[in-house]
Amino acid sequence: MRQMARTRCGAMTAALLTVAAAGSLMTGCSSGSSATDDGRAPAPSFSQGQVTGPAQSPSSTAGAGPVLAVKIDNVSAARPQTGLDAADVVYAEQVEGGLSRLMAIYASKLPTAVGPVRSARESDLELLRQFDKPTLAFSGAQHKLLPVIAKAPLHAVSADQGSSAYYRSASKVAPHNLFLHPKQLMRSAPGAAALTTGFHFGAAPAGGSPETSRTVRFPAARFTFAWSASKHRWLVSMDGTPTVPTDGKRVAPATVVVQYVQVHNSKYHDVLGNNTPYTETVGSGTAKVLRDGKVFDVDWKRPTAGDGTEFTTTDGEPMNFAKGQVWVVFAKA
């Protein structure tokens, strides 16, 4: 587990995109004209610079720098997603109405495209504090949350700011058609050293119980992970449908973490009055770790937002994950 000094990184702004079809890029991430989920018009930008072309966060250099975090839509109309299988870590969180949303973390490689991109939530800011000035790509946010995002120690690049890294796809209908070209935000992947999550990788510990399938349920969503002995991976299904991105490769992480956390109401709501859940990722609790066709009972601890999350076995030893993609599903304790 490592704790990293945080410095404020001002979010970038950009001139509004010129679009070929009227309204094609500023079509919102709700069914209205806003790029946010609450149906309100985009709020003014709070950033301090301009984007004139492909750009990096100030600390980015080839092979080193911040991770890229992308908020990804996860309702049925958003599927199949693009670029999900290229992520190093995928976090699944509960949002309004008991639905789910994903945050994909990219460090080892940057796919050609990622999406559909959706809006940020307050608890994303706490989760991302474990990384050093990460770049957060998102469609927009509830207007009262925008100043909070602007003050967070990250590099926020919203579609509301007109970044040319975003585009609308004709393959889906709004608001599920916003996509990102990651290499227009970061010239290169920072490398695995940027993954300051506190995860340990290595040989499996002794013990564990055989596990062929595990389902995690949210009020209006569910995730199922089925063990494939031939692939030596966990095959992901969401809401009963196999998760196969647009490249046709089944999403199959090497390790799945079901992390039991506190989930409570935040002070934010969507346009329908549904409260936005806040997922507490700082603290301690229990988790189930799936790897190698087994489930392990473990404890987790993250003392401060600047720390990664430490997972330990019942005898206090670090819980090693299998090498490969990791999914972390935040389940209500």
Side-chain angles (χ1 to χ4, degrees), residues 201-252:
F201 293 85
S209 302
E211 183 88 332
T212 58
S213 181
R214 169 75 56 158
T215 295
V216 183
R217 299 180 185 275
F218 291 178
R222 72 183 188 274
F223 298 86
T224 298
F225 304 94
W227 176 247
S228 169
S230 61
K231 295 181 181 295
H232 212 72
R233 291 290 187 270
W234 298 91
L235 305 181
V236 181
S237 296
M238 297 189 290
D239 301 329
T241 301
T243 302
V244 182
T246 52
D247 65 4
K249 298 178 182 178
R250 181 82 176 266
V251 175

Side-chain angles (χ1 to χ4, degrees), residues 164-182:
S164 60
Y166 294 95
Y167 68 97
R168 294 282 176 182
S169 171
S171 65
K172 290 181 171 63
V173 298
H176 314 290
N177 62 347
L178 181 67
F179 288 79
L180 172 74
H181 287 307

